[in-house]
PDB file of all heavy atoms in Angstrom:
ATOM      1  N   ALA A 258      -5.233  36.089 -41.863  1.00  0.00           N
ATOM      2  CA  ALA A 258      -4.833  37.476 -42.114  1.00  0.00           C
ATOM      3  C   ALA A 258      -3.863  37.535 -43.288  1.00  0.00           C
ATOM      4  O   ALA A 258      -3.932  38.455 -44.143  1.00  0.00           O
ATOM      5  CB  ALA A 258      -4.198  38.054 -40.826  1.00  0.00           C
ATOM      6  N   ASP A 259      -2.928  36.577 -43.345  1.00  0.00           N
ATOM      7  CA  ASP A 259      -1.965  36.532 -44.456  1.00  0.00           C
ATOM      8  C   ASP A 259      -2.681  36.319 -45.762  1.00  0.00           C
ATOM      9  O   ASP A 259      -2.335  36.916 -46.789  1.00  0.00           O
ATOM     10  CB  ASP A 259      -0.939  35.447 -44.185  1.00  0.00           C
ATOM     11  CG  ASP A 259      -0.038  35.745 -43.026  1.00  0.00           C
ATOM     12  OD1 ASP A 259       0.044  36.920 -42.620  1.00  0.00           O
ATOM     13  OD2 ASP A 259       0.609  34.764 -42.475  1.00  0.00           O
ATOM     14  N   ASP A 260      -3.682  35.459 -45.762  1.00  0.00           N
ATOM     15  CA  ASP A 260      -4.439  35.195 -46.998  1.00  0.00           C
ATOM     16  C   ASP A 260      -5.187  36.475 -47.458  1.00  0.00           C
ATOM     17  O   ASP A 260      -5.229  36.785 -48.628  1.00  0.00           O
ATOM     18  CB  ASP A 260      -5.456  34.074 -46.752  1.00  0.00           C
ATOM     19  CG  ASP A 260      -4.794  32.716 -46.590  1.00  0.00           C
ATOM     20  OD1 ASP A 260      -3.608  32.595 -47.044  1.00  0.00           O
ATOM     21  OD2 ASP A 260      -5.438  31.803 -46.055  1.00  0.00           O
ATOM     22  N   ASP A 261      -5.729  37.175 -46.478  1.00  0.00           N
ATOM     23  CA  ASP A 261      -6.438  38.450 -46.785  1.00  0.00           C
ATOM     24  C   ASP A 261      -5.439  39.462 -47.433  1.00  0.00           C
ATOM     25  O   ASP A 261      -5.780  40.175 -48.339  1.00  0.00           O
ATOM     26  CB  ASP A 261      -7.082  39.025 -45.561  1.00  0.00           C
ATOM     27  CG  ASP A 261      -8.233  38.183 -45.081  1.00  0.00           C
ATOM     28  OD1 ASP A 261      -8.761  37.413 -45.895  1.00  0.00           O
ATOM     29  OD2 ASP A 261      -8.609  38.307 -43.883  1.00  0.00           O
ATOM     30  N   ASP A 262      -4.220  39.504 -46.843  1.00  0.00           N
ATOM     31  CA  ASP A 262      -3.205  40.443 -47.400  1.00  0.00           C
ATOM     32  C   ASP A 262      -2.844  40.073 -48.810  1.00  0.00           C
ATOM     33  O   ASP A 262      -2.678  40.891 -49.670  1.00  0.00           O
ATOM     34  CB  ASP A 262      -1.945  40.435 -46.513  1.00  0.00           C
ATOM     35  CG  ASP A 262      -2.212  41.053 -45.156  1.00  0.00           C
ATOM     36  OD1 ASP A 262      -3.183  41.800 -45.049  1.00  0.00           O
ATOM     37  OD2 ASP A 262      -1.423  40.776 -44.191  1.00  0.00           O
ATOM     38  N   ASP A 263      -2.735  38.754 -49.062  1.00  0.00           N
ATOM     39  CA  ASP A 263      -2.424  38.288 -50.423  1.00  0.00           C
ATOM     40  C   ASP A 263      -3.530  38.646 -51.416  1.00  0.00           C
ATOM     41  O   ASP A 263      -3.297  39.047 -52.511  1.00  0.00           O
ATOM     42  CB  ASP A 263      -2.191  36.792 -50.462  1.00  0.00           C
ATOM     43  CG  ASP A 263      -0.901  36.402 -49.691  1.00  0.00           C
ATOM     44  OD1 ASP A 263      -0.053  37.274 -49.505  1.00  0.00           O
ATOM     45  OD2 ASP A 263      -0.819  35.193 -49.277  1.00  0.00           O
ATOM     46  N   ASP A 264      -4.777  38.489 -50.937  1.00  0.00           N
ATOM     47  CA  ASP A 264      -5.939  38.848 -51.779  1.00  0.00           C
ATOM     48  C   ASP A 264      -5.922  40.350 -52.080  1.00  0.00           C
ATOM     49  O   ASP A 264      -6.199  40.752 -53.212  1.00  0.00           O
ATOM     50  CB  ASP A 264      -7.221  38.451 -51.075  1.00  0.00           C
ATOM     51  CG  ASP A 264      -7.383  36.913 -50.979  1.00  0.00           C
ATOM     52  OD1 ASP A 264      -6.682  36.211 -51.767  1.00  0.00           O
ATOM     53  OD2 ASP A 264      -8.178  36.464 -50.158  1.00  0.00           O
ATOM     54  N   ASP A 265      -5.599  41.137 -51.075  1.00  0.00           N
ATOM     55  CA  ASP A 265      -5.575  42.630 -51.303  1.00  0.00           C
ATOM     56  C   ASP A 265      -4.460  42.962 -52.303  1.00  0.00           C
ATOM     57  O   ASP A 265      -4.661  43.843 -53.172  1.00  0.00           O
ATOM     58  CB  ASP A 265      -5.295  43.330 -49.959  1.00  0.00           C
ATOM     59  CG  ASP A 265      -6.482  43.197 -49.033  1.00  0.00           C
ATOM     60  OD1 ASP A 265      -7.588  42.926 -49.520  1.00  0.00           O
ATOM     61  OD2 ASP A 265      -6.276  43.408 -47.788  1.00  0.00           O
ATOM     62  N   ASP A 266      -3.294  42.302 -52.183  1.00  0.00           N
ATOM     63  CA  ASP A 266      -2.216  42.568 -53.139  1.00  0.00           C
ATOM     64  C   ASP A 266      -2.630  42.174 -54.543  1.00  0.00           C
ATOM     65  O   ASP A 266      -2.338  42.909 -55.523  1.00  0.00           O
ATOM     66  CB  ASP A 266      -0.964  41.779 -52.748  1.00  0.00           C
ATOM     67  CG  ASP A 266      -0.366  42.280 -51.443  1.00  0.00           C
ATOM     68  OD1 ASP A 266      -0.652  43.427 -51.058  1.00  0.00           O
ATOM     69  OD2 ASP A 266       0.401  41.493 -50.781  1.00  0.00           O
ATOM     70  N   ASP A 267      -3.334  41.062 -54.698  1.00  0.00           N
ATOM     71  CA  ASP A 267      -3.819  40.653 -55.993  1.00  0.00           C
ATOM     72  C   ASP A 267      -4.775  41.622 -56.573  1.00  0.00           C
ATOM     73  O   ASP A 267      -4.739  42.004 -57.736  1.00  0.00           O
ATOM     74  CB  ASP A 267      -4.470  39.250 -55.912  1.00  0.00           C
ATOM     75  CG  ASP A 267      -3.440  38.176 -55.612  1.00  0.00           C
ATOM     76  OD1 ASP A 267      -2.223  38.423 -55.815  1.00  0.00           O
ATOM     77  OD2 ASP A 267      -3.872  37.069 -55.110  1.00  0.00           O
ATOM     78  N   ASP A 268      -5.705  42.125 -55.695  1.00  0.00           N
ATOM     79  CA  ASP A 268      -6.663  43.138 -56.103  1.00  0.00           C
ATOM     80  C   ASP A 268      -5.976  44.410 -56.594  1.00  0.00           C
ATOM     81  O   ASP A 268      -6.337  44.995 -57.626  1.00  0.00           O
ATOM     82  CB  ASP A 268      -7.671  43.469 -55.007  1.00  0.00           C
ATOM     83  CG  ASP A 268      -8.543  42.267 -54.707  1.00  0.00           C
ATOM     84  OD1 ASP A 268      -8.672  41.387 -55.578  1.00  0.00           O
ATOM     85  OD2 ASP A 268      -9.135  42.224 -53.569  1.00  0.00           O
ATOM     86  N   ASP A 269      -4.959  44.827 -55.814  1.00  0.00           N
ATOM     87  CA  ASP A 269      -4.223  46.027 -56.186  1.00  0.00           C
ATOM     88  C   ASP A 269      -3.518  45.852 -57.541  1.00  0.00           C
ATOM     89  O   ASP A 269      -3.475  46.766 -58.374  1.00  0.00           O
ATOM     90  CB  ASP A 269      -3.210  46.408 -55.117  1.00  0.00           C
ATOM     91  CG  ASP A 269      -3.857  46.821 -53.802  1.00  0.00           C
ATOM     92  OD1 ASP A 269      -5.051  47.217 -53.881  1.00  0.00           O
ATOM     93  OD2 ASP A 269      -3.193  46.775 -52.733  1.00  0.00           O
ATOM     94  N   TYR A 270      -2.903  44.659 -57.721  1.00  0.00           N
ATOM     95  CA  TYR A 270      -2.256  44.418 -59.005  1.00  0.00           C
ATOM     96  C   TYR A 270      -3.178  44.388 -60.157  1.00  0.00           C
ATOM     97  O   TYR A 270      -2.916  44.973 -61.218  1.00  0.00           O
ATOM     98  CB  TYR A 270      -1.510  43.060 -58.879  1.00  0.00           C
ATOM     99  CG  TYR A 270      -0.811  42.657 -60.145  1.00  0.00           C
ATOM    100  CD1 TYR A 270       0.440  43.242 -60.488  1.00  0.00           C
ATOM    101  CD2 TYR A 270      -1.370  41.690 -61.003  1.00  0.00           C
ATOM    102  CE1 TYR A 270       1.051  42.859 -61.647  1.00  0.00           C
ATOM    103  CE2 TYR A 270      -0.750  41.340 -62.171  1.00  0.00           C
ATOM    104  CZ  TYR A 270       0.506  41.917 -62.489  1.00  0.00           C
ATOM    105  OH  TYR A 270       1.126  41.572 -63.662  1.00  0.00           O
ATOM    106  N   GLU A 271      -4.379  43.771 -59.964  1.00  0.00           N
ATOM    107  CA  GLU A 271      -5.381  43.740 -61.050  1.00  0.00           C
ATOM    108  C   GLU A 271      -5.878  45.144 -61.369  1.00  0.00           C
ATOM    109  O   GLU A 271      -6.095  45.486 -62.545  1.00  0.00           O
ATOM    110  CB  GLU A 271      -6.516  42.820 -60.640  1.00  0.00           C
ATOM    111  CG  GLU A 271      -6.116  41.312 -60.586  1.00  0.00           C
ATOM    112  CD  GLU A 271      -7.250  40.491 -60.092  1.00  0.00           C
ATOM    113  OE1 GLU A 271      -8.299  41.044 -59.707  1.00  0.00           O
ATOM    114  OE2 GLU A 271      -7.102  39.217 -60.034  1.00  0.00           O
ATOM    115  N   THR A 272      -6.117  45.934 -60.306  1.00  0.00           N
ATOM    116  CA  THR A 272      -6.545  47.309 -60.544  1.00  0.00           C
ATOM    117  C   THR A 272      -5.532  48.104 -61.308  1.00  0.00           C
ATOM    118  O   THR A 272      -5.829  48.906 -62.253  1.00  0.00           O
ATOM    119  CB  THR A 272      -6.837  47.964 -59.194  1.00  0.00           C
ATOM    120  OG1 THR A 272      -7.791  47.193 -58.467  1.00  0.00           O
ATOM    121  CG2 THR A 272      -7.355  49.408 -59.385  1.00  0.00           C
ATOM    122  N   LYS A 273      -4.238  47.944 -60.979  1.00  0.00           N
ATOM    123  CA  LYS A 273      -3.161  48.641 -61.643  1.00  0.00           C
ATOM    124  C   LYS A 273      -3.131  48.230 -63.128  1.00  0.00           C
ATOM    125  O   LYS A 273      -2.980  49.060 -64.049  1.00  0.00           O
ATOM    126  CB  LYS A 273      -1.832  48.358 -60.973  1.00  0.00           C
ATOM    127  CG  LYS A 273      -0.657  49.094 -61.577  1.00  0.00           C
ATOM    128  CD  LYS A 273       0.585  48.806 -60.768  1.00  0.00           C
ATOM    129  CE  LYS A 273       1.745  49.542 -61.372  1.00  0.00           C
ATOM    130  NZ  LYS A 273       3.023  49.274 -60.635  1.00  0.00           N
ATOM    131  N   GLU A 274      -3.273  46.932 -63.397  1.00  0.00           N
ATOM    132  CA  GLU A 274      -3.232  46.436 -64.742  1.00  0.00           C
ATOM    133  C   GLU A 274      -4.405  47.002 -65.549  1.00  0.00           C
ATOM    134  O   GLU A 274      -4.298  47.398 -66.728  1.00  0.00           O
ATOM    135  CB  GLU A 274      -3.286  44.901 -64.758  1.00  0.00           C
ATOM    136  CG  GLU A 274      -2.017  44.224 -64.318  1.00  0.00           C
ATOM    137  CD  GLU A 274      -0.909  44.404 -65.310  1.00  0.00           C
ATOM    138  OE1 GLU A 274      -1.200  44.476 -66.520  1.00  0.00           O
ATOM    139  OE2 GLU A 274       0.275  44.567 -64.897  1.00  0.00           O
TER     140      GLU A 274
END
Side-chain angles (χ1 to χ4, degrees):
D259 292 340
D260 290 340
D261 291 341
D262 292 339
D263 293 339
D264 292 340
D265 292 340
D266 292 341
D267 292 340
D268 292 340
D269 292 340
Y270 178 78
E271 292 175 356
T272 303
K273 183 177 179 181
E274 287 290 328

